[in-house]
Amino acid sequence: MDGPYIRVEDSGLMMPLREDVTTIGRGRSVDVHLADPSVSRLHAEIVRRGPYAYVTDLGLSRNGTRVNGRLVARRVLEEGDVLAFGSARCRVFGIAAEEFTAEVELRRPAAPELTRRELDVVTSLCRPALSDEAFVAPATAREIAADLVVTEAAVKQHLLRLYQKFRIPEGANRRVRLANEVVALGLVRPLPSAEKVLPSAERTQPPAERTQPPAERSGLAVQADAPTPSVPPQAAPAPSVPAQVASAPI
């Protein structure tokens, strides 16, 4: 087979690497399909840059990606490298040999400067990835808009600017690529366990108010079912009798 290609060890399937990005996972729409339950639906990508190729783990699976047994986030590949996506094993061939250390990894660019609103958008985008549950995909524009109480159109404009700042190329899975870069650069971090279970509206409240009943937060104290004090019935006033003037003797 001409050019770089990947071979699935279990099935012997050989797939040529695309000129730009080759997607790998358990989903139906990926380029290299791995029918293994330990593999995420969109697990990793192999990106080609001229004669070089590197693998990027998309952070969507707890099982991760390994190159020659080493857990990696992004790494330059060499001829014959063994890639493990969860429990599925593959090997890459057809990569031009060059004199450089096998431990060389691509440096990540410095984090771009973000506005306060852009930081809110990426935080909401990555929130599913920072929970304890299995992460399937980052938040959609509609979900971000609902979380931040803004319009969906405004969120899409922010996302377009973020794609430019993080140099995310056009194509499929742009939100996934953006979320992967944001998490890898450490711009967002997991929330404390107590914060994860709170709705977004309550996360903005002071901690003292969160433990109070709703009525107390509004300044209204809820009293126990105290008996209403009985008011003794008042006696009806006696009808007024007009005073009679005694007639003086004549």
Side-chain angles (χ1 to χ4, degrees):
M1 184 176 292
D2 295 334
Y5 66 94
I6 184 171
R7 185 182 71 194
V8 181
E9 295 289 272
D10 290 342
S11 64
L13 174 68
M14 294 186 294
M15 291 285 295
L17 299 181
R18 292 181 175 272
E19 292 293 333
D20 48 3
V21 178
T22 301
T23 55
I24 302 166
R26 188 166 43 88
R28 297 180 180 178
S29 301
V30 298
D31 300 316
V32 180
H33 176 76
L34 302 174
D36 190 297
S38 65
V39 178
S40 175
R41 282 187 281 182
L42 181 60
H43 197 109
E45 295 175 339
I46 296 180
V47 182
R48 293 180 61 185
R49 291 290 183 265
Y52 309 105
Y54 63 89
V55 63
T56 299
D57 181 83
L58 295 179
L60 308 185
S61 173
R62 295 182 178 179
N63 299 314
T65 298
R66 297 178 182 271
V67 177
N68 300 327
R70 180 185 175 187
L71 191 65
V72 299
R74 180 184 294 187
R75 176 164 172 165
V76 176
L77 297 175
E78 289 187 299
E79 177 73 7
D81 275 344
V82 178
L83 281 66
F85 308 102
S87 300
R89 289 165 56 90
C90 305
R91 297 189 72 178
V92 289
F93 299 95
I95 298 176
E98 186 173 334
E99 293 294 333
F100 62 88
T101 308
E103 300 300 321
V104 170
E105 295 189 9
L106 297 185
R107 292 184 179 180
R108 296 187 180 276
E113 185 175 352
L114 302 180
T115 65
R116 178 64 180 272
R117 178 52 74 180
E118 288 171 345
L119 187 58
D120 290 342
V121 170
V122 296
T123 301
S124 182
L125 172 75
C126 300
R127 184 161 290 135
L130 305 179
S131 66
D132 289 332
E133 300 177 358
F135 178 40
V136 176
T140 64
R142 178 174 297 179
E143 291 169 341
I144 297 172
D147 186 33
L148 302 181
V149 196
V150 296
T151 64
E152 188 174 347
V155 171
K156 290 181 178 179
Q157 288 297 322
H158 284 299
L159 287 174
L160 288 176
R161 286 193 290 269
L162 289 167
Y163 294 147
Q164 295 174 355
K165 286 189 174 184
F166 285 90
R167 299 181 181 179
I168 306 298
E170 293 185 4
N173 309 317
R174 287 187 95 185
R175 284 185 299 106
V176 173
R177 296 169 192 249
L178 176 60
N180 184 55
E181 288 295 322
V182 169
V183 172
L185 290 170
L187 294 178
V188 294
R189 292 178 174 80
L191 296 170
S193 57
E195 295 285 330
K196 293 177 183 177
V197 297
L198 291 175
S200 58
E202 290 199 15
R203 280 194 290 267
T204 59
Q205 296 178 349
E209 291 190 8
R210 296 176 188 159
T211 59
Q212 297 176 352
E216 292 187 6
R217 294 178 198 166
S218 61
L220 300 177
V222 178
Q223 298 180 351
D225 297 333
T228 305
S230 58
V231 179
Q234 297 180 357
S240 58
V241 179
Q244 297 181 357
V245 179
S247 56
I250 303 176

